[in-house]
Each structure stands twice: as C-alpha cells, then as structure tokens.
Amino acid sequence: MTVALRFDPIRLPPHCQELRTEVRAFLADEVAKGTFNPQNPKADPASADAFSRRVGERGWIGMTWPKKYGGQERSFLERYVVTEEMRVANAPTRRFFVADRQSGPTLIRYANESIKQNLLPRMVRGEVGFCIGMSEPGSGSDLFAAKTKATKIDGGWLINGTKIWTSNAHQSDYMIGLFRTSAPTKENRRHGLTSFLVDMKTPGIKCNLIGQMSGQKEFNEVVFDNVLIPDDHVIGEIDGAWKQATSELAYERSGPERFLETYGALSELVRAIGSNPDTRAAEGIGRLVAQLHTLRRMSVSVAGMLEAGKEPVVEAAIVKDLGTIWEQALPHRSRELAAFLSPDSTNHETLENRLAFYLKIAPKLTIQGGTTEVLRGIIARGLGLR
C-alpha cells in the first residue's frame, strides 16, 4: 500500500515562542546552579533525578497526555519546543525522556487502566524512568527476528533471553520490551511478538554495561532468566505487537533529538570562526545551517501531524534517515572548516574537545532508532517501491 507523503509547512504559534523563553530561562538557571555543564553534560544519577523532578514540576513531562493521568493536554508543538531547547542545551534528560517520548504514549494507548493510573502520574512527576527492549544479539535492527521468549504459565509469563544496546537499562525503573510469544507464520513473519511492561527490579534480570569508545557507559546487555511477568503487564494485542511497534517508532524517529545530538559541533565552530568568516567558512556554515533549517521544518511538520492524531510513520522515517546522516557528518565537516583556524582562537580547545567526542559517538547515530537500511526499506514500502 502506498502513501502520499506530506510535510505541511507548519509554523510555531506565538505561545510556543513564549514557552521557549520560559524553558531557556529555566535551563540557564540550572546551569548557573551547577546542575549540568552544557560542554560536558554528563550528570551524576542523583543530580539527573533531581533535575527530572524539577522538569516535572514545571509540567514539561507528559505535556500532551490526558489530564486525568497528570498530563497537561498541551500540543505536540509545545512539546517540540521543550525537547528542542533541552537538546540544544545538552540537559540531562535521560531519566525521563524515553518515558515522555514514547513509553507514556504507548501505555496510554495499549495498557490496562490500573497500570495507567499507577504509572503515568509518576512519569509526569519525573519519578520513573523507562528503557526500550527491542534489539537482540544476532538480529541487529531486524526486530521481527527477535527470539527472547515469553512463555505462558499460570498467572503470567516467563521471559528468557537477551536484549542488547538497551540504553540506560541499568538506571531504568521499567522497560517496554518486545518478546516472542509465538512462532512467525509463513504468511506473516511479523506475527508472534508481544509487548510487555517489565519492572526492572524483578528477580532474574541482569544488566551488563557495554562500554563505548566515547568513554560513555549507557548501553546494556539485559539478560532475562525465568523472569515472571504478570498477565496484566501485557501491553496490547498478544502476537500483534508489530502493529504497535511501528506506530511507536513514529514518536521515536521524528523529533529534534534525531538531528541535534552533535549540534554542539556547529555552535562551537561558529563561535571559533567569529563574525568575519572568509568565503570558504561562510559558504560551509551557510550550507550547514540551511540543511539544519530544512530538517527542522520537516520535524516540526511531523509534530503537527502527531498533534492532528495521524501516524506519519514514513515521514518520521525520512526525518530520522536524513537527520542522523546529517548529524553524523557534521563533526567531520566542522573539522574541515576549522582546519585553518588559529590555535589562539578563544574556544579552540573547547572546539577540539567537542569534535573529538562527537566523532566518537557519530558511528552509532545511523543505527539507534533504526538503521539507515531499515528506514529506507520502510520508505520504499510506503512509496510502493517494494
């Protein structure tokens, strides 16, 4: 089935700009208090937890969710502004971001009422962190090849197997995981997967940290050994989670976080080159800014479609594909443009340090949230090309 691609030219309304001013003031105050350093944003867990609660007090977590669950019923465009400002400032959002971006909307749509009443208000207050259990060893980004098994027993399900590249699992309270409950059929290899809400404190769960060449340790191998999950923790349709997973990824793939992860390279480059760039630097920066503006317009358009209750899966895949390729290339291009800078430039050392970090994290950007190859398969299918 083909879809008609749409990127409506949506503009942020004035009240969103007022919100932006408020968020910037809040973040400036947090930086002044020493909560985090935008140049070195790694925050200790206690500081990140406290920051998460203060963001919750502002009403900036679960902004679009129903008020009966603690949400604000504000627009996706307002949420977009908060996300954009947090990302540009390198704020320590890991504690609440996955819950806000996709776990909460998934629970609202598919979980039973008791779970909604229990978890969603706590998520809104910034008290509960989530991770996503999709990828597995040996299957890469092919979610439908998942083998970690959930076996039905009296009163619940036993889970055995391994998930990998699970960001922040070691500090998360819950996971929404994709597990094999039946074998795929010849007609439908997507059949047989079910989503479960997993309490990460359940006996039998072990998180093994995976070091990255950047020095970060946020990825995990999560091992499940006879982990008992109650029946009421099934999220949505048994054996039909692939339908949920694809719509859930529209939330994950389209936001400004999908092209702003290395944004600091551009801001530091502009600062280093200064107000009188030569022709080469001016052309290079102008091209990068024009590309960034285009990505932002596309991303805002997807936020507008989410606001309208649509599921722009293909458009989100396009934003993610183009966005991660751009942010992956940005540190390399910034280094090229900075090649002839004087070592006496006021922020030369900061620029070099940030570029060294971004160059190390760049390889993962076109993998997380769906590889370039997977995304282009989704796009091709949506266009009727496969």
Side-chain angles (χ1 to χ4, degrees), residues 171-184:
Q171 294 178 336
S172 295
D173 300 291
Y174 291 91
M175 168 194 287
I176 293 182
L178 197 65
F179 302 107
R180 174 70 56 191
T181 45
S182 296

PDB file of all heavy atoms in Angstrom, residues 171-184:
ATOM      1  N   GLN A 171      19.718   2.049  34.817  1.00  0.00           N
ATOM      2  CA  GLN A 171      19.172   3.096  35.682  1.00  0.00           C
ATOM      3  C   GLN A 171      17.666   3.272  35.494  1.00  0.00           C
ATOM      4  O   GLN A 171      17.096   4.222  36.022  1.00  0.00           O
ATOM      5  CB  GLN A 171      19.884   4.428  35.398  1.00  0.00           C
ATOM      6  CG  GLN A 171      21.354   4.416  35.793  1.00  0.00           C
ATOM      7  CD  GLN A 171      22.060   5.717  35.459  1.00  0.00           C
ATOM      8  OE1 GLN A 171      21.634   6.453  34.565  1.00  0.00           O
ATOM      9  NE2 GLN A 171      23.140   6.012  36.164  1.00  0.00           N
ATOM     10  N   SER A 172      17.042   2.370  34.757  1.00  0.00           N
ATOM     11  CA  SER A 172      15.614   2.496  34.468  1.00  0.00           C
ATOM     12  C   SER A 172      14.770   1.697  35.454  1.00  0.00           C
ATOM     13  O   SER A 172      15.193   0.650  35.952  1.00  0.00           O
ATOM     14  CB  SER A 172      15.317   2.014  33.041  1.00  0.00           C
ATOM     15  OG  SER A 172      15.944   2.842  32.097  1.00  0.00           O
ATOM     16  N   ASP A 173      13.580   2.191  35.701  1.00  0.00           N
ATOM     17  CA  ASP A 173      12.647   1.501  36.580  1.00  0.00           C
ATOM     18  C   ASP A 173      11.829   0.459  35.816  1.00  0.00           C
ATOM     19  O   ASP A 173      11.471  -0.584  36.371  1.00  0.00           O
ATOM     20  CB  ASP A 173      11.692   2.512  37.224  1.00  0.00           C
ATOM     21  CG  ASP A 173      12.435   3.548  38.045  1.00  0.00           C
ATOM     22  OD1 ASP A 173      12.979   3.182  39.088  1.00  0.00           O
ATOM     23  OD2 ASP A 173      12.479   4.723  37.619  1.00  0.00           O
ATOM     24  N   TYR A 174      11.532   0.757  34.556  1.00  0.00           N
ATOM     25  CA  TYR A 174      10.699  -0.135  33.747  1.00  0.00           C
ATOM     26  C   TYR A 174      11.235  -0.218  32.316  1.00  0.00           C
ATOM     27  O   TYR A 174      11.941   0.675  31.849  1.00  0.00           O
ATOM     28  CB  TYR A 174       9.240   0.364  33.703  1.00  0.00           C
ATOM     29  CG  TYR A 174       8.519   0.257  35.015  1.00  0.00           C
ATOM     30  CD1 TYR A 174       8.528   1.322  35.919  1.00  0.00           C
ATOM     31  CD2 TYR A 174       7.827  -0.902  35.355  1.00  0.00           C
ATOM     32  CE1 TYR A 174       7.870   1.233  37.131  1.00  0.00           C
ATOM     33  CE2 TYR A 174       7.160  -0.997  36.570  1.00  0.00           C
ATOM     34  CZ  TYR A 174       7.188   0.068  37.449  1.00  0.00           C
ATOM     35  OH  TYR A 174       6.540  -0.030  38.654  1.00  0.00           O
ATOM     36  N   MET A 175      10.866  -1.292  31.674  1.00  0.00           N
ATOM     37  CA  MET A 175      11.136  -1.488  30.249  1.00  0.00           C
ATOM     38  C   MET A 175       9.827  -1.841  29.557  1.00  0.00           C
ATOM     39  O   MET A 175       8.994  -2.552  30.126  1.00  0.00           O
ATOM     40  CB  MET A 175      12.136  -2.639  30.041  1.00  0.00           C
ATOM     41  CG  MET A 175      12.272  -3.108  28.585  1.00  0.00           C
ATOM     42  SD  MET A 175      13.135  -4.701  28.417  1.00  0.00           S
ATOM     43  CE  MET A 175      14.812  -4.197  28.761  1.00  0.00           C
ATOM     44  N   ILE A 176       9.634  -1.323  28.354  1.00  0.00           N
ATOM     45  CA  ILE A 176       8.630  -1.898  27.471  1.00  0.00           C
ATOM     46  C   ILE A 176       9.399  -2.719  26.449  1.00  0.00           C
ATOM     47  O   ILE A 176      10.177  -2.177  25.653  1.00  0.00           O
ATOM     48  CB  ILE A 176       7.770  -0.818  26.791  1.00  0.00           C
ATOM     49  CG1 ILE A 176       6.909  -0.112  27.853  1.00  0.00           C
ATOM     50  CG2 ILE A 176       6.867  -1.445  25.731  1.00  0.00           C
ATOM     51  CD1 ILE A 176       5.976   0.943  27.304  1.00  0.00           C
ATOM     52  N   GLY A 177       9.238  -4.039  26.545  1.00  0.00           N
ATOM     53  CA  GLY A 177      10.034  -4.950  25.743  1.00  0.00           C
ATOM     54  C   GLY A 177       9.198  -5.728  24.747  1.00  0.00           C
ATOM     55  O   GLY A 177       8.005  -5.970  24.959  1.00  0.00           O
ATOM     56  N   LEU A 178       9.847  -6.117  23.673  1.00  0.00           N
ATOM     57  CA  LEU A 178       9.220  -6.886  22.601  1.00  0.00           C
ATOM     58  C   LEU A 178       9.721  -8.315  22.694  1.00  0.00           C
ATOM     59  O   LEU A 178      10.928  -8.565  22.553  1.00  0.00           O
ATOM     60  CB  LEU A 178       9.602  -6.272  21.251  1.00  0.00           C
ATOM     61  CG  LEU A 178       8.801  -6.627  20.016  1.00  0.00           C
ATOM     62  CD1 LEU A 178       7.368  -6.122  20.147  1.00  0.00           C
ATOM     63  CD2 LEU A 178       9.459  -6.011  18.783  1.00  0.00           C
ATOM     64  N   PHE A 179       8.793  -9.280  22.942  1.00  0.00           N
ATOM     65  CA  PHE A 179       9.199 -10.661  23.179  1.00  0.00           C
ATOM     66  C   PHE A 179       8.416 -11.624  22.294  1.00  0.00           C
ATOM     67  O   PHE A 179       7.286 -11.339  21.885  1.00  0.00           O
ATOM     68  CB  PHE A 179       9.010 -11.018  24.655  1.00  0.00           C
ATOM     69  CG  PHE A 179       9.772 -10.111  25.591  1.00  0.00           C
ATOM     70  CD1 PHE A 179       9.117  -9.157  26.355  1.00  0.00           C
ATOM     71  CD2 PHE A 179      11.147 -10.195  25.693  1.00  0.00           C
ATOM     72  CE1 PHE A 179       9.809  -8.313  27.203  1.00  0.00           C
ATOM     73  CE2 PHE A 179      11.861  -9.359  26.537  1.00  0.00           C
ATOM     74  CZ  PHE A 179      11.191  -8.417  27.293  1.00  0.00           C
ATOM     75  N   ARG A 180       9.052 -12.746  22.033  1.00  0.00           N
ATOM     76  CA  ARG A 180       8.464 -13.772  21.175  1.00  0.00           C
ATOM     77  C   ARG A 180       7.471 -14.613  21.979  1.00  0.00           C
ATOM     78  O   ARG A 180       7.848 -15.281  22.932  1.00  0.00           O
ATOM     79  CB  ARG A 180       9.582 -14.644  20.611  1.00  0.00           C
ATOM     80  CG  ARG A 180       9.148 -15.846  19.803  1.00  0.00           C
ATOM     81  CD  ARG A 180       8.550 -15.500  18.490  1.00  0.00           C
ATOM     82  NE  ARG A 180       9.406 -14.690  17.631  1.00  0.00           N
ATOM     83  CZ  ARG A 180       9.003 -14.113  16.525  1.00  0.00           C
ATOM     84  NH1 ARG A 180       7.727 -14.233  16.139  1.00  0.00           N
ATOM     85  NH2 ARG A 180       9.820 -13.372  15.799  1.00  0.00           N
ATOM     86  N   THR A 181       6.194 -14.567  21.600  1.00  0.00           N
ATOM     87  CA  THR A 181       5.163 -15.367  22.269  1.00  0.00           C
ATOM     88  C   THR A 181       4.647 -16.499  21.385  1.00  0.00           C
ATOM     89  O   THR A 181       4.011 -17.431  21.881  1.00  0.00           O
ATOM     90  CB  THR A 181       3.982 -14.477  22.701  1.00  0.00           C
ATOM     91  OG1 THR A 181       3.622 -13.590  21.631  1.00  0.00           O
ATOM     92  CG2 THR A 181       4.353 -13.643  23.920  1.00  0.00           C
ATOM     93  N   SER A 182       4.883 -16.413  20.079  1.00  0.00           N
ATOM     94  CA  SER A 182       4.520 -17.479  19.142  1.00  0.00           C
ATOM     95  C   SER A 182       5.509 -17.452  17.993  1.00  0.00           C
ATOM     96  O   SER A 182       6.204 -16.453  17.770  1.00  0.00           O
ATOM     97  CB  SER A 182       3.102 -17.294  18.579  1.00  0.00           C
ATOM     98  OG  SER A 182       2.125 -17.377  19.585  1.00  0.00           O
ATOM     99  N   ALA A 183       5.548 -18.540  17.242  1.00  0.00           N
ATOM    100  CA  ALA A 183       6.413 -18.579  16.068  1.00  0.00           C
ATOM    101  C   ALA A 183       5.802 -17.740  14.947  1.00  0.00           C
ATOM    102  O   ALA A 183       4.581 -17.631  14.841  1.00  0.00           O
ATOM    103  CB  ALA A 183       6.592 -20.020  15.593  1.00  0.00           C
ATOM    104  N   PRO A 184       6.645 -17.132  14.116  1.00  0.00           N
ATOM    105  CA  PRO A 184       6.096 -16.424  12.957  1.00  0.00           C
ATOM    106  C   PRO A 184       5.458 -17.425  11.995  1.00  0.00           C
ATOM    107  O   PRO A 184       5.787 -18.606  11.988  1.00  0.00           O
ATOM    108  CB  PRO A 184       7.322 -15.760  12.336  1.00  0.00           C
ATOM    109  CG  PRO A 184       8.485 -16.566  12.801  1.00  0.00           C
ATOM    110  CD  PRO A 184       8.119 -17.090  14.156  1.00  0.00           C
TER     111      PRO A 184
END
